[in-house]
Amino acid sequence: CFVPNYYTTRSTQIEETHAQFDLAKLSLLLSSSLSSSSSTLFQKISKRTLTVTQMTPIHMDSPSAQRNKEPIWSILAKVISNNSNSNNNNNNNTNNNENEVQTTFKVLEIAAGVGVHTLHFITEMQKLDTMKNTKITWIPTDPDETSRMAIQERIKSSSDEIQQCIHSPFSLLLGNEGILNKEEYGAGDVDVDVEEENQIDLITCINMIHISPWEATIGLFTVASQKLKDDGILYCYGPYKVGGQAVESNLNFDASLKSRNSSWGIRDLESVVALAEESGMKLEETIEMPANNLSLIFRRVQK
């Protein structure tokens, strides 16, 4: 029942416990794809087993994203502050009026899921001292239409200030050559022009690399090398093998992923780093995170 895109996200969520789907979203996915009679039957089953009778995008949630949003933000806050300070120092368009925008900061979120991270990160980002007098543009993307609808509903329910910072979500598919669906990516949009290079300050990619074919990871680093500014950051989060080894729970998770799709699986950190270097990226920091995950901070090398 997984979405057969080049990469799949949390629309059919695999929990960080490595054991369960997010059944609420699975209910919605199945209900939208089955025949009406089968859908009715599934909803009756759901009513007894999941206490879910009707799902809409605004109800969609990701328990794993709710759990990891704070630990991830603690890392991103430092990354964003450091990079925004650097941008401020290098920005030649300084305005003497403190109430006017002096700088811009663009974030491209790949595999945004249902928007839990999107809303949390942009909300916290606006509180950073280094973001004062900065125009923030957060660009969430996901290949799954239902997930994008959920993001849009979260945006609508947020404050006007938040809405002004978040771009409407759109589809982004990754493959060997980078973005596969260029006709959909930022068509006619000045904020996300598909032909524009080196205009993104930060790219985030959370829990995608292990739930996607290797070609999607190649595409990720291709996009990062094309879209990031010099010294821009790619932040990746998820489980990895180190030296071919991992804790038992991650090895079991790896076997479970491969049983569902032979092209998925927990990647060797060394392979990811080698790919990054081939793409003009440098691994700057590796940080151990809860639930046997890692935060990887890659920086685009200046050309």
Side-chain angles (χ1 to χ4, degrees):
C1 296
F2 289 92
V3 181
N5 285 317
Y6 252 76
Y7 65 93
T8 57
T9 58
R10 288 168 295 280
S11 57
T12 48
Q13 177 69 38
I14 295 180
E15 292 291 339
E16 285 185 319
T17 58
H18 307 161
Q20 302 238 352
F21 291 111
D22 185 327
L23 294 179
K25 278 178 282 182
L26 183 59
S27 170
L28 178 61
L29 181 63
L30 289 179
S31 295
S32 63
S33 60
L34 294 174
S35 66
S36 58
S37 60
S38 298
S39 176
T40 300
L41 175 61
F42 188 81
Q43 289 178 3
K44 288 180 180 178
I45 295 172
S46 299
K47 188 174 182 179
R48 288 193 292 269
T49 61
L50 305 177
T51 65
V52 174
T53 57
Q54 183 179 4
M55 290 292 295
T56 61
I58 197 170
H59 294 123
M60 292 176 66
D61 199 4
S62 171
S64 62
Q66 294 289 1
R67 288 195 301 273
N68 64 35
K69 65 184 183 182
E70 288 291 352
I72 291 175
W73 174 246
S74 70
I75 305 300
L76 284 179
K78 297 175 184 177
V79 169
I80 291 171
S81 294
N82 290 339
N83 258 40
S84 59
N85 276 329
S86 175
N87 287 346
N88 288 337
N89 292 335
N90 295 328
N91 189 349
N92 295 322
N93 187 28
T94 304
N95 195 312
N96 292 326
N97 187 340
E98 292 184 357
N99 294 322
E100 295 185 18
V101 172
Q102 297 181 0
T103 60
T104 62
F105 197 93
K106 287 186 179 181
V107 182
L108 176 63
E109 183 182 15
I110 294 177
V114 298
V116 172
H117 289 147
T118 307
L119 264 293
H120 182 71
F121 295 161
I122 191 65
T123 300
E124 295 301 314
M125 190 174 177
Q126 290 189 324
K127 300 175 185 177
L128 296 175
D129 290 340
T130 53
M131 287 290 104
K132 291 180 179 179
N133 299 327
T134 298
K135 178 185 177 182
I136 302 169
T137 302
W138 190 285
I139 308 166
T141 71
D142 199 282
D144 178 59
E145 183 179 4
T146 305
S147 292
R148 295 196 302 272
M149 291 170 60
I151 296 171
Q152 192 63 55
E153 290 298 330
R154 288 179 185 274
I155 295 173
K156 288 180 181 178
S157 65
S158 63
S159 68
D160 290 343
E161 186 180 12
I162 295 294
Q163 291 185 39
Q164 291 173 6
C165 296
I166 305 179
H167 193 282
S168 294
F170 55 84
S171 177
L172 188 151
L173 300 177
L174 297 175
N176 280 328
E177 303 303 318
I179 299 173
L180 297 181
N181 58 331
K182 290 185 178 182
E183 69 285 355
E184 297 180 55
Y185 174 80
D189 193 317
V190 295
D191 285 330
V192 286
D193 185 352
V194 70
E195 301 299 335
E196 192 174 39
E197 297 187 356
N198 310 129
Q199 293 299 312
I200 301 294
D201 295 277
L202 169 68
I203 295 176
T204 67
C205 182
I206 297 170
N207 280 336
M208 184 207 84
I209 289 178
H210 57 290
I211 317 178
S212 61
W214 181 244
E215 290 83 356
T217 302
I218 296 174
L220 171 65
F221 283 98
T222 299
V223 169
S225 67
Q226 294 171 345
K227 300 298 180 185
L228 284 173
K229 296 178 179 179
D230 285 344
D231 285 331
I233 294 293
L234 168 62
Y235 172 84
C236 297
Y237 170 94
Y240 296 88
K241 296 177 183 176
V242 179
Q245 302 297 314
V247 297
E248 184 177 0
S249 62
N250 277 1
L251 292 176
N252 292 337
F253 184 38
D254 182 48
S256 175
L257 288 171
K258 290 176 178 176
S259 71
R260 295 183 174 97
N261 189 319
S262 60
S263 67
W264 297 356
I266 296 178
R267 310 300 179 187
D268 290 318
L269 178 60
E270 295 81 1
S271 298
V272 175
V273 172
L275 177 60
E277 292 175 348
E278 292 172 8
S279 304
M281 306 287 293
K282 179 182 179 181
L283 178 62
E284 194 165 82
E285 192 171 3
T286 302
I287 304 167
E288 292 187 2
M289 303 292 287
N292 301 310
N293 290 292
L294 295 177
S295 282
L296 306 180
I297 301 174
F298 295 95
R299 187 178 295 276
R300 183 179 184 274
V301 178
Q302 291 190 11
K303 295 183 179 179

Coordinates of all heavy atoms in Angstrom, one line a residue, residues 10 65 68-85 105-110 116-131 138 201-207 228 232-237 284-285 287 289 294-299:
R10 N 5.9 10.4 4.4 CA 5.1 9.9 5.5 C 3.6 9.8 5.3 O 2.8 9.8 6.2 CB 5.4 10.8 6.7 CG 6.8 10.6 7.3 CD 7.2 11.6 8.3 NE 7.3 12.9 7.7 CZ 8.3 13.3 7.0 NH1 9.3 12.5 6.8 NH2 8.4 14.6 6.5
A65 N 6.8 12.4 13.6 CA 7.2 13.8 13.4 C 6.9 14.6 14.6 O 7.7 15.5 15.0 CB 6.5 14.4 12.2
N68 N 9.8 13.8 17.0 CA 11.2 14.2 16.7 C 11.3 15.7 16.4 O 12.4 16.1 16.1 CB 11.8 13.3 15.6 CG 11.1 13.5 14.3 OD1 10.6 14.5 13.9 ND2 11.0 12.4 13.5
K69 N 10.2 16.4 16.3 CA 10.3 17.8 15.8 C 11.2 18.7 16.8 O 11.9 19.5 16.3 CB 8.9 18.4 15.7 CG 8.1 18.5 16.9 CD 6.7 19.1 16.6 CE 5.9 19.3 17.9 NZ 4.5 19.7 17.6
E70 N 11.1 18.4 18.1 CA 11.9 19.3 19.0 C 13.4 18.9 18.9 O 14.2 19.8 18.8 CB 11.3 19.1 20.4 CG 10.0 19.8 20.7 CD 10.1 21.3 20.6 OE1 11.3 21.8 20.6 OE2 9.1 22.0 20.7
P71 N 13.7 17.6 19.0 CA 15.2 17.3 18.8 C 15.8 17.8 17.5 O 16.9 18.3 17.5 CB 15.2 15.8 18.9 CG 14.0 15.4 19.7 CD 12.9 16.4 19.3
I72 N 15.0 17.7 16.4 CA 15.5 18.1 15.1 C 15.6 19.7 15.1 O 16.6 20.2 14.7 CB 14.6 17.7 14.0 CG1 14.7 16.2 13.8 CG2 14.9 18.4 12.7 CD1 13.7 15.6 12.8
W73 N 14.6 20.4 15.7 CA 14.7 21.8 15.7 C 15.9 22.3 16.5 O 16.5 23.3 16.2 CB 13.4 22.4 16.3 CG 13.5 23.9 16.4 CD1 13.6 24.7 17.5 CD2 13.8 24.8 15.3 NE1 13.8 26.0 17.2 CE2 13.9 26.1 15.9 CE3 13.8 24.7 13.9 CZ2 14.1 27.3 15.1 CZ3 14.0 25.9 13.2 CH2 14.2 27.1 13.8
S74 N 16.2 21.6 17.6 CA 17.4 22.0 18.4 C 18.7 22.1 17.5 O 19.6 22.9 17.8 CB 17.6 21.1 19.6 OG 18.0 19.8 19.2
I75 N 18.7 21.2 16.5 CA 19.9 21.2 15.6 C 19.7 22.3 14.6 O 20.6 23.1 14.3 CB 20.0 19.8 14.9 CG1 20.1 18.7 16.0 CG2 21.3 19.8 14.0 CD1 21.3 18.8 16.9
L76 N 18.5 22.3 14.0 CA 18.3 23.3 12.9 C 18.4 24.8 13.4 O 18.9 25.6 12.6 CB 16.9 23.1 12.3 CG 16.7 21.9 11.3 CD1 15.3 21.8 10.9 CD2 17.7 22.0 10.2
A77 N 18.0 25.0 14.6 CA 18.1 26.4 15.1 C 19.5 26.9 15.1 O 19.8 28.1 14.7 CB 17.5 26.4 16.5
K78 N 20.5 26.0 15.5 CA 21.9 26.4 15.4 C 22.3 26.6 14.0 O 23.1 27.6 13.7 CB 22.7 25.4 16.1 CG 22.4 25.2 17.6 CD 23.2 24.1 18.2 CE 22.8 23.9 19.7 NZ 23.5 22.7 20.3
V79 N 21.9 25.7 13.1 CA 22.3 25.8 11.7 C 21.8 27.1 11.1 O 22.6 27.8 10.4 CB 21.8 24.5 10.9 CG1 22.0 24.7 9.4 CG2 22.5 23.3 11.4
I80 N 20.6 27.3 11.3 CA 19.9 28.5 10.7 C 20.6 29.8 11.2 O 20.9 30.7 10.5 CB 18.4 28.5 10.9 CG1 17.8 27.4 10.1 CG2 17.8 29.8 10.5 CD1 16.3 27.1 10.4
S81 N 20.8 29.8 12.5 CA 21.4 31.0 13.1 C 22.8 31.3 12.6 O 23.1 32.4 12.2 CB 21.4 30.9 14.7 OG 20.1 30.9 15.2
N82 N 23.6 30.3 12.5 CA 24.9 30.4 12.0 C 24.9 30.9 10.5 O 25.7 31.7 10.1 CB 25.7 29.1 12.1 CG 26.0 28.8 13.6 OD1 26.0 29.6 14.4 ND2 26.3 27.5 13.8
N83 N 24.0 30.3 9.7 CA 24.0 30.6 8.3 C 23.4 32.0 8.1 O 23.9 32.7 7.2 CB 23.2 29.6 7.5 CG 24.1 28.6 6.8 OD1 25.2 28.2 7.3 ND2 23.8 28.3 5.5
S84 N 22.4 32.4 8.8 CA 21.8 33.7 8.7 C 22.8 34.8 9.1 O 22.8 35.9 8.5 CB 20.5 33.8 9.4 OG 20.7 33.6 10.8
N85 N 23.6 34.5 10.1 CA 24.6 35.5 10.5 C 25.6 35.7 9.4 O 26.0 36.8 9.1 CB 25.3 35.0 11.8 CG 24.6 35.3 13.1 OD1 23.9 36.3 13.1 ND2 24.7 34.5 14.1
F105 N 15.9 34.6 3.4 CA 16.3 33.3 3.8 C 15.3 32.3 3.3 O 14.1 32.3 3.7 CB 16.4 33.1 5.3 CG 17.3 31.9 5.8 CD1 18.6 32.1 6.0 CD2 16.7 30.7 5.9 CE1 19.4 31.0 6.4 CE2 17.5 29.6 6.3 CZ 18.8 29.8 6.6
K106 N 15.8 31.4 2.3 CA 14.9 30.5 1.7 C 15.2 29.0 2.1 O 16.4 28.6 2.1 CB 15.0 30.5 0.2 CG 14.4 31.8 -0.5 CD 14.4 31.7 -2.0 CE 13.8 32.9 -2.6 NZ 13.8 32.8 -4.1
V107 N 14.1 28.3 2.4 CA 14.3 26.9 2.9 C 13.5 26.0 1.9 O 12.3 26.3 1.7 CB 13.8 26.7 4.3 CG1 14.0 25.2 4.7 CG2 14.5 27.6 5.3
L108 N 14.1 25.0 1.4 CA 13.4 24.0 0.5 C 13.2 22.7 1.4 O 14.2 22.1 1.8 CB 14.2 23.7 -0.7 CG 13.6 22.6 -1.7 CD1 12.2 23.0 -2.2 CD2 14.6 22.4 -2.8
E109 N 12.0 22.3 1.7 CA 11.7 21.1 2.5 C 11.3 20.0 1.6 O 10.3 20.1 0.9 CB 10.6 21.4 3.5 CG 10.3 20.2 4.4 CD 9.2 20.5 5.4 OE1 8.5 21.5 5.2 OE2 9.1 19.7 6.3
I110 N 12.2 19.0 1.5 CA 11.9 17.8 0.6 C 11.3 16.7 1.5 O 11.8 16.4 2.6 CB 13.2 17.3 0.0 CG1 13.7 18.4 -1.0 CG2 13.0 16.0 -0.8 CD1 15.0 18.1 -1.7
V116 N 3.8 18.6 9.7 CA 4.1 18.7 11.2 C 5.4 19.5 11.3 O 5.4 20.5 12.1 CB 4.2 17.4 11.9 CG1 4.7 17.6 13.3 CG2 2.8 16.7 11.9
H117 N 6.4 19.1 10.6 CA 7.7 19.8 10.7 C 7.6 21.2 10.1 O 8.1 22.2 10.7 CB 8.8 19.0 10.0 CG 9.2 17.8 10.7 ND1 9.6 16.7 10.0 CD2 9.3 17.5 12.0 CE1 9.9 15.7 10.9 NE2 9.7 16.2 12.1
T118 N 6.9 21.3 9.0 CA 6.8 22.6 8.3 C 6.3 23.7 9.3 O 6.9 24.8 9.4 CB 5.8 22.5 7.2 OG1 6.2 21.4 6.3 CG2 5.7 23.8 6.4
L119 N 5.2 23.4 9.9 CA 4.6 24.5 10.8 C 5.4 24.7 12.1 O 5.6 25.8 12.5 CB 3.2 24.0 11.2 CG 2.0 24.6 10.4 CD1 1.9 26.1 10.6 CD2 2.2 24.3 8.9
H120 N 6.0 23.6 12.6 CA 6.7 23.8 13.8 C 8.0 24.5 13.6 O 8.4 25.5 14.3 CB 7.1 22.4 14.4 CG 7.8 22.5 15.7 ND1 7.3 22.9 16.9 CD2 9.2 22.2 16.0 CE1 8.2 22.9 17.9 NE2 9.3 22.5 17.4
F121 N 8.7 24.2 12.5 CA 10.0 24.8 12.2 C 9.8 26.3 11.9 O 10.6 27.1 12.3 CB 10.7 24.1 11.1 CG 11.1 22.7 11.5 CD1 11.4 21.8 10.5 CD2 11.2 22.3 12.8 CE1 11.8 20.5 10.8 CE2 11.6 21.0 13.1 CZ 11.9 20.1 12.1
I122 N 8.9 26.6 11.1 CA 8.7 28.0 10.7 C 8.2 28.9 11.9 O 8.6 30.0 12.0 CB 7.7 28.2 9.5 CG1 7.8 29.6 8.9 CG2 6.3 27.8 9.9 CD1 9.1 30.0 8.3
T123 N 7.4 28.3 12.7 CA 7.0 29.0 13.9 C 8.2 29.3 14.8 O 8.3 30.4 15.3 CB 6.0 28.2 14.7 OG1 4.8 27.9 13.9 CG2 5.5 28.9 16.0
E124 N 9.0 28.3 15.0 CA 10.2 28.5 15.9 C 11.2 29.4 15.2 O 11.9 30.2 15.9 CB 10.8 27.2 16.3 CG 10.0 26.3 17.1 CD 9.6 27.0 18.4 OE1 10.5 27.5 19.1 OE2 8.4 26.9 18.8
M125 N 11.3 29.3 13.9 CA 12.3 30.1 13.2 C 12.0 31.6 13.3 O 13.0 32.4 13.4 CB 12.2 29.7 11.7 CG 13.3 30.2 10.8 SD 13.2 29.5 9.2 CE 14.5 30.3 8.3
Q126 N 10.8 32.0 13.3 CA 10.4 33.4 13.4 C 10.8 34.0 14.8 O 10.9 35.2 14.9 CB 8.9 33.6 13.2 CG 8.5 33.3 11.8 CD 7.1 33.8 11.5 OE1 6.2 33.6 12.4 NE2 6.8 34.3 10.4
K127 N 11.1 33.1 15.8 CA 11.5 33.6 17.1 C 13.0 33.9 17.2 O 13.4 34.5 18.2 CB 11.0 32.6 18.2 CG 9.5 32.3 18.2 CD 9.2 31.2 19.2 CE 7.8 30.8 19.2 NZ 7.5 29.7 20.1
L128 N 13.7 33.4 16.3 CA 15.2 33.5 16.4 C 15.6 35.0 16.2 O 15.1 35.7 15.3 CB 15.9 32.7 15.3 CG 15.7 31.2 15.4 CD1 16.4 30.5 14.2 CD2 16.3 30.6 16.7
D129 N 16.5 35.4 17.0 CA 17.0 36.8 16.9 C 17.6 37.1 15.6 O 17.5 38.2 15.0 CB 18.0 37.1 18.0 CG 17.4 37.2 19.4 OD1 16.1 37.4 19.5 OD2 18.1 37.0 20.4
T130 N 18.3 36.1 15.0 CA 19.0 36.2 13.8 C 18.0 36.4 12.6 O 18.5 36.7 11.5 CB 19.9 35.1 13.5 OG1 19.2 33.8 13.6 CG2 21.1 35.0 14.5
M131 N 16.7 36.1 12.8 CA 15.8 36.2 11.7 C 15.1 37.6 11.7 O 14.2 37.8 10.8 CB 14.7 35.1 11.8 CG 15.2 33.7 11.5 SD 15.6 33.5 9.7 CE 17.3 33.6 9.7
W138 N 9.6 29.6 3.2 CA 9.7 28.2 3.5 C 8.9 27.5 2.4 O 7.7 27.7 2.2 CB 9.1 27.8 4.9 CG 9.4 26.4 5.3 CD1 8.8 25.3 4.8 CD2 10.4 26.0 6.2 NE1 9.4 24.1 5.4 CE2 10.4 24.5 6.3 CE3 11.4 26.6 7.0 CZ2 11.2 23.8 7.1 CZ3 12.2 25.9 7.8 CH2 12.1 24.5 7.8
D201 N 19.0 28.8 0.8 CA 19.9 28.8 2.0 C 20.0 27.4 2.7 O 21.1 27.1 3.2 CB 19.5 29.9 3.0 CG 19.6 31.2 2.4 OD1 20.7 31.8 2.4 OD2 18.5 31.8 1.9
L202 N 18.9 26.7 2.8 CA 18.8 25.5 3.5 C 17.9 24.5 2.9 O 16.8 24.9 2.4 CB 18.3 25.8 5.0 CG 18.0 24.6 5.8 CD1 19.2 23.8 6.2 CD2 17.3 25.1 7.1
I203 N 18.3 23.3 2.7 CA 17.4 22.2 2.3 C 17.3 21.2 3.4 O 18.3 20.8 4.0 CB 18.0 21.5 1.0 CG1 18.0 22.5 -0.2 CG2 17.1 20.3 0.7 CD1 18.6 21.9 -1.4
T204 N 16.1 20.8 3.8 CA 15.9 19.8 4.8 C 15.3 18.5 4.1 O 14.5 18.6 3.2 CB 14.9 20.2 5.9 OG1 13.6 20.4 5.4 CG2 15.4 21.5 6.5
C205 N 15.8 17.4 4.5 CA 15.3 16.1 4.0 C 15.3 15.1 5.2 O 16.3 14.6 5.6 CB 16.2 15.6 2.9 SG 15.6 14.0 2.2
I206 N 14.1 14.9 5.7 CA 13.9 14.1 6.9 C 13.2 12.8 6.7 O 12.1 12.8 6.1 CB 13.1 14.9 8.0 CG1 13.9 16.2 8.4 CG2 12.8 14.1 9.2 CD1 13.2 17.2 9.2
N207 N 13.8 11.7 7.1 CA 13.2 10.3 6.9 C 12.8 10.0 5.5 O 11.7 9.5 5.3 CB 12.0 10.2 7.9 CG 12.5 9.9 9.3 OD1 13.6 9.3 9.5 ND2 11.7 10.2 10.3
L228 N 21.5 25.1 -3.8 CA 22.0 25.8 -2.6 C 23.0 26.9 -3.0 O 23.7 26.8 -4.0 CB 22.7 24.8 -1.7 CG 21.9 23.9 -0.9 CD1 22.8 22.8 -0.2 CD2 21.0 24.6 0.1
G232 N 25.7 27.0 1.5 CA 24.3 26.6 1.9 C 24.4 25.2 2.5 O 25.3 24.4 2.3
I233 N 23.3 24.9 3.3 CA 23.3 23.7 4.1 C 22.2 22.7 3.6 O 21.1 23.1 3.3 CB 23.0 24.0 5.6 CG1 24.2 24.8 6.2 CG2 22.7 22.7 6.4 CD1 25.5 24.0 6.3
L234 N 22.6 21.4 3.5 CA 21.6 20.3 3.4 C 21.6 19.6 4.7 O 22.6 19.1 5.2 CB 22.0 19.4 2.2 CG 21.3 18.0 2.2 CD1 19.8 18.3 1.9 CD2 21.9 17.1 1.1
Y235 N 20.4 19.5 5.3 CA 20.2 18.8 6.6 C 19.4 17.5 6.3 O 18.3 17.5 5.7 CB 19.4 19.6 7.6 CG 19.1 18.9 8.8 CD1 20.0 18.7 9.9 CD2 17.8 18.3 9.0 CE1 19.6 18.0 11.0 CE2 17.5 17.6 10.1 CZ 18.4 17.4 11.1 OH 18.1 16.7 12.2
C236 N 20.0 16.4 6.7 CA 19.4 15.1 6.5 C 19.2 14.4 7.9 O 20.1 14.5 8.7 CB 20.2 14.1 5.6 SG 20.4 14.7 3.9
Y237 N 18.1 13.7 8.1 CA 17.8 13.0 9.3 C 17.3 11.6 9.0 O 16.4 11.5 8.1 CB 16.8 13.8 10.1 CG 16.2 13.1 11.3 CD1 16.8 13.3 12.6 CD2 15.1 12.3 11.2 CE1 16.3 12.7 13.7 CE2 14.6 11.6 12.4 CZ 15.2 11.8 13.6 OH 14.7 11.2 14.7
E284 N 29.8 18.2 7.3 CA 30.3 19.1 8.3 C 30.2 18.6 9.7 O 31.0 18.8 10.5 CB 29.7 20.5 8.2 CG 30.4 21.6 8.9 CD 29.9 22.9 8.5 OE1 28.8 23.4 9.0 OE2 30.5 23.6 7.6
E285 N 29.1 17.9 9.9 CA 28.8 17.4 11.3 C 27.9 16.2 11.3 O 26.9 16.2 10.5 CB 28.3 18.5 12.2 CG 28.3 18.2 13.7 CD 27.9 19.4 14.5 OE1 27.6 20.4 13.9 OE2 27.9 19.2 15.7
I287 N 25.5 14.1 14.1 CA 25.0 14.2 15.4 C 24.1 13.0 15.7 O 23.2 12.8 15.0 CB 24.3 15.5 15.6 CG1 25.1 16.7 15.2 CG2 23.8 15.7 17.0 CD1 24.4 18.0 15.0
M289 N 21.1 11.2 17.4 CA 19.7 11.7 17.8 C 19.0 10.5 18.5 O 19.4 9.4 18.5 CB 19.0 12.1 16.5 CG 19.7 13.2 15.7 SD 19.8 14.8 16.6 CE 18.1 15.3 16.4
L294 N 20.4 9.7 13.1 CA 21.5 10.6 13.0 C 21.0 11.9 12.3 O 20.2 11.8 11.4 CB 22.7 10.0 12.1 CG 23.4 8.8 12.7 CD1 24.5 8.4 11.7 CD2 24.1 9.2 14.0
S295 N 21.6 13.0 12.7 CA 21.5 14.3 11.9 C 22.8 14.5 11.2 O 23.9 14.4 11.7 CB 21.3 15.5 12.9 OG 19.9 15.5 13.3
L296 N 22.6 14.7 9.9 CA 23.8 14.9 9.0 C 23.7 16.4 8.5 O 22.7 16.7 7.9 CB 23.8 13.9 7.8 CG 23.8 12.4 8.2 CD1 23.8 11.6 6.9 CD2 24.9 12.0 9.1
I297 N 24.8 17.1 8.6 CA 24.8 18.5 8.2 C 25.9 18.6 7.1 O 27.1 18.4 7.3 CB 25.2 19.5 9.3 CG1 24.1 19.4 10.4 CG2 25.3 20.9 8.8 CD1 24.4 20.2 11.6
F298 N 25.4 18.8 5.8 CA 26.3 18.9 4.7 C 26.3 20.4 4.3 O 25.3 21.1 4.3 CB 25.7 18.1 3.5 CG 25.7 16.6 3.7 CD1 24.6 16.0 4.2 CD2 26.9 15.8 3.5 CE1 24.6 14.6 4.4 CE2 26.9 14.5 3.7 CZ 25.7 13.8 4.1
R299 N 27.5 20.8 3.8 CA 27.6 22.2 3.4 C 28.1 22.2 1.9 O 29.0 21.4 1.5 CB 28.6 23.0 4.2 CG 28.7 24.5 3.8 CD 29.7 25.2 4.7 NE 29.2 25.2 6.1 CZ 28.4 26.1 6.6 NH1 27.9 27.1 5.8 NH2 28.0 26.1 7.9

